[in-house]
Amino acid sequence: MFAGAHVAESWGMDGGNQSENLEFLLLGISEVPAQQQVLFWMFLSMYLVTVVGNALIILAIVSDSRLHTPMYFFLANLSFTDLFFVTNTIPKMLVNLQSQNKAISYAGCLVQLYFLVSLVALDNLILAVMAYDRYVAICRPLHYVTIMNPKLCILLLTLCWVLSILYGLTHTLLMTTVTFCGSRKIHYIFCEMYVLLRLACSDIQVNHTVLIATGCFIFLIPLGFMIMSYIRIVRAILRIPSATGKYKAFSTCASHLAVVSLFYGTLCMVYLQPLHTYSMKDSVATVMYAVVTPMMNPFIYSLRNKDMHGALGRLLLGKAFQGLR
């Protein structure tokens, strides 16, 4: 009874959180020191590859006028989102792996949660816009330049940013109404929505309901839009008479399809389950969408893309030539 009173006092007698004193412990995937060292070097390598890969994609697109098209405009924004996404989570995780102090403040946790939720939503919305771009390019090629004009591209990107910001703010503000008590240990690599809700000792029905409702709007509607777009794209490709033409049309969509499959595949592994079944084993799936997917995107988009190959070659050769001068 006295222990319970002590917990209530430390977490606020009024039922609210004393946010200035509240901390969580980000324990990560493993608490074994030897494994933590392995994880540190693995995640550091993946982070550096992700940063370099996405930065090169952005620089190549910005520096090469041949890539100043809607498709590459959205790709550059996708790379920027991935770059920001990993920077929001991995540096703190690397510090925790090398430190005995695993604590993250309540405010720091909410900031991390906000950017995590917002950027995942933004990634998803940009992928939907890129699907629309591919639909117009293949199904309405004669009107592509007219439809995908700079004004529309900026409007679509602005809409993506506004929706993702509102989505992140909604869930972050709702999280501030949640009361936490008992264990502060997070067996995860960052402050994640489901994990925090599992630690709550207050009613989270509103949070869960809003999470499902907004998730359907932000994720399922764009996914449905992408599926419909690619059904029409496949139909249009099948009507192309030459095998060469079919291959060329499909190759412009293959990279985007691979990224969409990787993004939704890893996301579904984590979130298509009831809240009460969410556990530490989902850390592996979280690493996939939070670390592996942003790292793989630059490789997927540049692997079979001759225009990107050329832009990257000119960028790197230009830098090397300037270094020799």
Side-chain angles (χ1 to χ4, degrees):
M1 180 175 178
F2 290 108
H6 177 70
V7 170
E9 181 182 355
S10 63
W11 287 75
M13 293 296 293
D14 59 351
N17 298 323
Q18 289 186 327
S19 57
E20 66 273 11
N21 300 319
L22 179 57
E23 288 184 336
F24 295 101
L25 299 176
L26 285 174
L27 300 180
I29 299 173
S30 173
E31 295 182 62
V32 180
Q35 292 180 356
Q36 287 185 344
Q37 285 301 310
V38 174
L39 289 171
F40 173 82
W41 291 110
M42 182 182 76
F43 283 120
L44 177 61
S45 301
M46 294 170 76
Y47 178 63
L48 293 175
V49 170
T50 304
V51 170
V52 171
N54 283 287
L56 283 175
I57 292 288
I58 295 169
L59 289 172
I61 292 171
V62 170
S63 63
D64 197 321
S65 59
R66 298 175 184 85
L67 302 184
H68 291 177
T69 63
M71 182 177 76
Y72 292 109
F73 170 71
F74 294 123
L75 177 56
N77 281 277
L78 183 68
S79 291
F80 173 78
T81 305
D82 286 340
L83 197 60
F84 199 178
F85 184 84
V86 294
T87 302
N88 176 51
T89 55
I90 297 183
K92 175 61 178 175
M93 179 179 61
L94 293 175
V95 171
N96 285 353
L97 287 170
Q98 290 293 92
S99 172
Q100 295 298 318
N101 183 14
K102 313 291 185 183
I104 182 171
S105 68
Y106 176 75
C109 198
L110 286 183
V111 169
Q112 196 176 70
L113 176 69
Y114 167 74
F115 284 112
L116 174 71
V117 171
S118 298
L119 294 172
V120 169
L122 183 58
D123 241 9
N124 169 68
L125 292 171
I126 291 177
L127 287 173
V129 171
M130 292 175 75
Y132 176 69
D133 173 74
R134 292 300 83 205
Y135 161 74
V136 176
I138 293 173
C139 298
R140 305 187 65 183
L142 298 178
H143 301 92
Y144 179 75
V145 176
T146 306
I147 296 173
M148 297 303 295
N149 58 75
K151 186 177 179 180
L152 179 64
C153 291
I154 293 171
L155 179 63
L156 288 173
L157 186 63
T158 302
L159 182 62
C160 291
W161 275 94
V162 170
L163 288 175
S164 61
I165 288 170
L166 291 175
Y167 181 71
L169 279 175
T170 299
H171 291 294
T172 306
L173 291 174
L174 278 175
M175 190 61 71
T176 62
T177 67
V178 174
T179 303
F180 298 97
C181 53
S183 176
R184 296 176 295 135
K185 295 180 179 180
I186 299 177
H187 292 276
Y188 238 58
I189 59 177
F190 46 71
C191 291
E192 200 275 338
M193 180 72 68
Y194 270 22
V195 174
L196 291 176
L197 291 179
R198 285 292 299 272
L199 293 178
C201 60
S202 59
D203 184 20
I204 58 169
Q205 187 60 45
V206 174
N207 301 71
H208 200 205
T209 303
V210 173
L211 185 62
I212 293 172
T214 55
C216 289
F217 176 75
I218 288 288
F219 292 98
L220 295 186
I221 291 178
L223 177 60
F225 176 79
M226 283 186 266
I227 291 171
M228 291 301 298
S229 295
Y230 272 102
I231 289 174
R232 296 188 177 187
I233 287 170
V234 169
R235 287 176 179 172
I237 290 175
L238 291 176
R239 288 197 294 267
I240 298 175
S242 67
T244 305
K246 288 179 180 178
Y247 175 80
K248 185 177 180 181
F250 180 75
S251 65
T252 64
C253 302
S255 298
H256 183 257
L257 271 174
V259 170
V260 170
S261 301
L262 184 61
F263 177 81
Y264 273 98
T266 54
L267 213 60
C268 289
M269 288 169 64
V270 180
Y271 295 110
L272 282 188
Q273 59 178 307
L275 181 59
H276 67 271
T277 66
Y278 204 62
S279 64
M280 187 180 174
K281 66 181 176 60
D282 299 300
S283 292
V284 177
T286 304
V287 168
M288 287 294 294
Y289 93 80
V291 183
V292 177
T293 301
M295 181 182 70
M296 292 302 298
N297 286 355
F299 295 101
I300 293 172
Y301 275 111
S302 61
L303 196 61
R304 297 176 59 187
N305 192 314
K306 293 181 180 179
D307 293 334
M308 187 60 69
H309 283 171
L312 288 170
R314 286 185 290 273
L315 176 67
L316 296 174
L317 288 175
K319 296 293 183 183
F321 180 73
Q322 288 177 7
L324 293 173
R325 291 179 61 179

